[in-house]
Amino acid sequence: MCVLALLSRGDNYAYEIASRLAEGIDMGEGTIYPLMRRMQADGLVDTYLVESSSGPPRKYYRLTEAGKTSFAGQKQAWGSFSKAINVILGEAQ
């Protein structure tokens, strides 16, 4: 869901996505490439190449319509889940 959220804000390449996830939720860089391949196989993202002045072309990822739909559903489910947890935590003293 975090990758979908990042891509909902704009296209990006895997290294940048991995850096943001490592910074925000301490997710290891080695996790992102298999995840991106799986998301592509599932039709949630597609890719395109952009020339880079500092090396080989970069593979950018963007959300597909299925990815946008999946993100909206996951975001709604997360909202409901976190709201329920906050109610329970609020009841604890």
Side-chain angles (χ1 to χ4, degrees):
M1 182 171 69
C2 292
V3 171
L4 295 174
L6 291 173
L7 289 174
S8 74
R9 298 177 192 152
D11 302 352
N12 220 326
Y13 54 99
Y15 180 77
E16 180 63 25
I17 295 168
S19 296
R20 298 278 312 273
L21 293 175
E23 178 183 301
I25 58 173
D26 201 26
M27 183 175 168
E29 245 180 68
T31 308
I32 194 69
Y33 294 98
L35 176 62
M36 297 310 294
R37 281 193 296 274
R38 192 174 75 225
M39 291 175 67
Q40 188 174 7
D42 291 345
L44 301 176
V45 298
D46 62 12
T47 64
Y48 59 95
L49 294 175
V50 174
E51 293 297 325
S52 170
S53 60
S54 61
R58 289 184 172 156
K59 183 189 284 188
Y60 274 74
Y61 294 86
R62 64 180 160 219
L63 288 182
T64 62
E65 286 304 314
K68 292 174 185 174
T69 301
S70 179
F71 175 56
Q74 290 182 40
K75 186 176 177 181
Q76 183 176 10
W78 177 257
S80 298
F81 177 76
S82 64
K83 184 177 177 182
I85 294 297
N86 285 335
V87 168
I88 291 168
L89 292 175
E91 293 171 353
Q93 295 295 324

